Amino acid sequence: MTHFTKRSLLTALAALPAAALLAPAAHADIEVNVNRGDVQPLPIALPIFSGGQIGADIVGVISANLQRSGLFRPLDPASFVERDLTIAVQPRFPAWQQIKAQALIVGQASLVSGRLEAGFHLYDVFAEHELGFANHGTGSGGLQFASSPENWRRLAHKISDAVYERLTGEKGYFDTRVVFVAESGARGSKIKRLAIMDQDGANPSYLTDGSAVIMTPRFSSNTQEITYMELRPEGSKIYLLNLETTRKESLGDFKGMVFAPRFSPDGGKVAFSVERGGNSDIFVMDLKSRATARLTVDPAIDTSPSFSPDGSMIAFNSDRSGSPQLYIMGADGSNPRRISFTQGRYTTPVWSPTGEFIAFTKQTGNQFHIGVMKPDGTDERILTSSYLDEGPAWAPNGRVLLFSRQVAGGGTKLWSVDVTGRIIQPMPYPGSGSDPAWSPLLN
Amino acid sequence: MITIRNSGSALRLALISAAAVSLAACASHPKPAYPTTQPAPPSRPVEPPRSPAPAPQPEPVSQAPLPGSERDFTINVGDRVYFDYDMYSVRSDATPLLDAQASWLKRYPAVQVRIEGNCDERGTQDYNLALGARRANAVRDYLVAHGVTAGRITTVSYGKEKPIDAGTGEAAESHNRNSHTAIVGGARMQ
């Protein structure tokens, strides 16, 4: 069991003693455009932080994060010309221009009476000035984070998020975790356990013993609670699990199967499917009052509910038209309407945290795809294609999706794709896994 | 090892040996392995892999199942029927087996069964759970309509979690779209 340690992580952001110049006007700054599909990743130099091994370890995590985002290209440290940087001295910009670095991070890590502290400065190499973190601390200069030493990876993720946000203008997604289903065993007798790890695949831990098949784990907006479905021969149950206290409780007993749970954006409700006599409809439960309301009354399959970020709408999957398609309705079940109309079978709609898109799984012929469309059904974009891709899950900033990819006759792995479809890659988790869901940014 | 080219007989032999192995292992619910060597059906929609016909003569390789036992049901009646792609209506070729299941269950009224709906992997998880539930309930409704007391039957959907054929392609998928009738209590011990 993972013990979450947010209390031990000081998130107060203190500006380092101003080292160099004040940041000039923002218009001259380098920036990364996250909206362009043809964007060239920004070359960034990440010399290891001073302070020994921990400095190198922290930079290794930051570098991997930025690289995986597809928006940055960390340069080979062997190419660095200026070697003995410290945060107290401004870098020699021509030495970094020479290797075509556009951004440079200079930092240091140190242990101060049992606490790990790491501070850094970010520079625009060709403009030859520091990119200050104006919204934090004193208004310019670098950033400093502190944590207990065992939380050094989270500290590195927070630095990654700060750099990502400073250079793209959007929130990062690196200090997050992913719940998923860890798979082992042969097909037909797979063991599927509830699992959780950092978004970069580190610190995986397993939360169930494998005696039941676990499906569809989903995070609450409070980052501490997840809901998931347990499948046994006797039937299915939906559980709420508090990651901090490890308290687990059932949503209750229903006649028939229950499945496809997902929290409302405020964490106060869970929408899910209930099957009775072979017919599946969507219900919602208020977690405080435990009152349950039925949202769809239709002989068709109605499942995979997903709230809009403002909580006012629910996207869902139904075959009421004769084949599985995407629908949206009011969060009270009012005014259901179909939004997917092009050729193909559509399932697993998931509203993006920004509200901009609904991600989905689409089946055309013998291929499966992850795609996104606007909530009104326009601007459909297919992002992936393989024998079996399914179950998209949004990063909290709405820029990256995780999904499951199964090879024909083989195992299932976790993959990610950015919302432009340009960067598709396996998650850095060595095992088999499926059904990922992303936490919000941690506190 | 006995090999017989006729696929129907081969299936029956496989079922017998699988049941025997399961019994030897004291498994409470033997799940016969589906032979993966059957000729692949041509294309979708396809003819079903034929379910074992009722009442074969037991081969001498195994002790004859005791009437009213789980083995009797599995071997002499058959515990699985198959569905077309994304469909849940009971196929006409499945009705003889389900008729035999209904007769057998009426003959042994203490037996309780669980109908388990299964899907191929060419669909997503939530949808397949719902589809499997439809299949299990279609079989349940058929048995009830043919005289089996509803209170003796429960249903569950495994979605695509329990494929009986680990292969890929239409042949394997047609095996994995099924409903399995599992005896959960009241059968005579073998």
Side-chain angles (χ1 to χ4, degrees):
Chain A
M1 187 61 219
T2 303
H3 291 288
F4 187 62
T5 53
K6 71 174 178 185
R7 284 191 209 90
S8 62
L9 183 68
L10 281 184
T11 51
L13 312 170
L16 287 176
L21 9 152
L22 297 172
H27 69 264
D29 292 354
I30 46 170
E31 62 178 62
V32 178
N33 187 334
V34 292
N35 290 306
R36 290 184 48 176
D38 59 350
V39 66
Q40 288 298 312
L42 184 93
I44 187 168
L46 291 151
I48 61 171
F49 287 9
S50 58
Q53 186 59 42
I54 189 67
D57 291 345
I58 288 171
V59 165
V61 169
I62 298 169
S63 177
N65 281 339
L66 296 178
Q67 166 113 38
R68 263 197 335 281
S69 77
L71 301 175
F72 300 90
R73 183 165 58 86
L75 297 171
D76 180 2
S79 69
F80 296 169
V81 177
E82 187 179 21
R83 292 287 173 165
D84 42 8
L85 286 159
T86 73
I87 58 166
V89 179
Q90 184 174 315
R92 207 157 47 77
F93 291 115
W96 301 98
Q97 292 163 358
Q98 184 185 333
I99 62 166
K100 297 189 169 54
Q102 291 205 41
L104 166 66
I105 295 173
V106 181
Q108 88 176 8
S110 52
L111 279 170
V112 180
S113 50
R115 304 279 294 167
L116 172 63
E117 293 184 3
F120 70 98
H121 293 265
L122 172 64
Y123 297 98
D124 183 332
V125 169
F126 285 88
E128 302 196 353
H129 66 71
E130 180 170 7
L131 296 171
F133 289 80
N135 295 327
H136 307 289
T138 59
S140 70
L143 276 182
Q144 178 160 313
F145 295 89
S147 80
S148 57
E150 67 269 19
N151 269 340
W152 67 272
R153 294 190 72 94
R154 282 200 60 193
L155 193 148
H157 293 319
K158 288 208 173 286
I159 294 173
S160 306
D161 282 327
V163 169
Y164 182 98
E165 183 174 357
R166 184 64 182 82
L167 293 176
T168 68
E170 303 212 353
K171 288 276 184 198
Y173 54 89
F174 301 116
D175 188 26
T176 56
R177 294 201 284 176
V178 171
V179 285
F180 65 105
V181 174
E183 301 192 354
S184 55
R187 294 174 73 195
S189 55
K190 266 186 187 171
I191 294 166
K192 300 180 83 166
R193 291 187 293 167
L194 180 62
I196 190 166
M197 62 185 171
D198 299 348
Q199 56 77 27
D200 63 351
N203 299 317
S205 69
Y206 306 95
L207 308 180
T208 62
D209 62 9
S211 62
V213 169
I214 303 298
M215 298 174 74
T216 58
R218 310 290 180 221
F219 262 106
S220 165
S221 53
N222 68 13
T223 74
Q224 288 309 300
E225 226 170 6
I226 56 176
T227 182
Y228 62 95
M229 183 265 237
E230 235 181 61
L231 177 61
R232 297 178 187 273
E234 299 76 32
S236 65
K237 279 193 174 178
I238 292 171
Y239 287 99
L240 304 171
L241 173 68
N242 187 303
L243 294 170
E244 206 157 25
T245 65
T246 73
R247 181 179 141 82
K248 170 183 166 181
E249 80 183 294
S250 164
L251 221 53
D253 286 319
F254 298 81
K255 288 178 190 150
M257 302 275 293
V258 288
F259 53 105
R262 199 182 283 273
F263 284 103
S264 61
D266 64 3
K269 297 176 189 147
V270 172
F272 54 102
S273 275
V274 177
E275 171 268 327
R276 278 175 192 154
N279 177 38
S280 299
D281 277 306
I282 293 170
F283 287 64
V284 66
M285 177 183 279
D286 184 286
L287 293 178
K288 205 170 272 178
S289 69
R290 293 287 162 148
T292 300
R294 181 173 180 170
L295 301 184
T296 67
V297 182
D298 194 289
I301 288 173
D302 292 329
T303 191
S304 303
S306 169
F307 284 89
S308 62
D310 67 0
S312 69
M313 307 278 291
I314 290 177
F316 66 104
N317 178 216
S318 177
D319 73 343
R320 58 186 66 185
S321 71
S323 69
Q325 300 293 337
L326 307 184
Y327 291 75
I328 58 173
M329 63 182 172
D332 58 356
S334 59
N335 191 20
R337 52 206 182 273
R338 180 172 166 184
I339 59 166
S340 62
F341 287 100
T342 60
Q343 194 73 31
R345 299 158 58 81
Y346 291 81
T347 51
T348 72
V350 189
W351 222 302
S352 76
T354 62
E356 190 181 3
F357 294 111
I358 290 174
F360 53 81
T361 306
K362 181 177 185 178
Q363 186 181 0
T364 56
N366 216 23
Q367 291 284 296
F368 280 70
H369 315 273
I370 302 299
V372 296
M373 62 171 64
K374 293 275 171 60
D376 65 0
T378 60
D379 288 354
E380 176 175 316
R381 229 189 272 165
I382 295 301
L383 306 179
T384 76
S385 183
S386 88
Y387 172 75
L388 183 45
D389 289 347
E390 77 171 280
W394 289 98
N397 70 352
R399 286 291 162 194
V400 183
L401 291 151
L402 293 176
F403 61 98
S404 311
R405 170 168 285 182
Q406 183 191 327
V407 177
T412 304
K413 291 276 207 177
L414 301 175
W415 284 64
S416 67
V417 62
D418 78 307
V419 77
T420 69
R422 186 170 60 91
I423 306 139
I424 303 177
Q425 59 198 332
M427 259 198 95
Y429 170 72
S432 286
S434 61
D435 240 337
W438 220 311
S439 80
L441 275 175
L442 303 179
N443 296 321
Chain B
M1 189 64 201
I2 306 164
T3 51
I4 299 174
R5 293 219 174 266
N6 176 292
S7 64
S9 302
L11 171 58
R12 200 167 304 134
L13 282 174
L15 287 172
I16 288 165
S17 62
V21 166
S22 298
L23 280 174
C26 295
S28 54
H29 308 299
K31 286 185 182 146
Y34 203 97
T36 54
T37 51
Q38 292 225 346
S43 65
R44 176 181 292 167
V46 301
E47 276 300 297
R50 293 284 163 179
S51 307
Q57 289 302 309
E59 299 290 332
V61 294
S62 157
Q63 185 191 344
L66 187 69
S69 68
E70 187 172 339
R71 251 184 95 218
D72 178 35
F73 180 76
T74 306
I75 295 168
N76 294 328
V77 177
D79 58 359
R80 222 178 270 270
V81 292
Y82 301 88
F83 293 84
D84 288 332
Y85 175 72
D86 199 24
M87 302 295 281
Y88 62 100
S89 51
V90 171
R91 293 195 322 214
S92 57
D93 60 21
T95 56
L97 190 146
L98 293 182
D99 290 342
Q101 284 193 357
S103 300
W104 191 91
L105 289 168
K106 284 185 282 185
R107 194 178 314 138
Y108 302 104
V111 173
Q112 306 274 325
V113 293
R114 177 176 62 235
I115 317 283
E116 303 162 343
N118 293 295
C119 301
D120 65 41
E121 66 185 16
R122 310 308 284 157
T124 49
Q125 289 187 340
D126 296 346
Y127 184 85
N128 275 355
L129 282 170
L131 178 59
R134 279 177 159 176
R135 287 175 176 162
N137 276 271
V139 168
R140 174 194 169 280
D141 291 349
Y142 188 97
L143 294 178
V144 170
H146 288 75
V148 182
T149 311
R152 299 169 60 194
I153 306 174
T154 60
T155 59
V156 70
S157 173
Y158 290 149
K160 55 177 173 175
E161 299 303 311
K162 305 274 183 196
I164 56 172
D165 188 329
T168 56
E170 174 53 31
E173 290 158 19
S174 70
H175 298 156
N176 292 332
R177 297 190 289 266
N178 65 70
S179 167
H180 176 239
T181 303
I183 291 180
V184 294
R188 295 176 68 180
M189 300 306 282
Q190 182 73 16

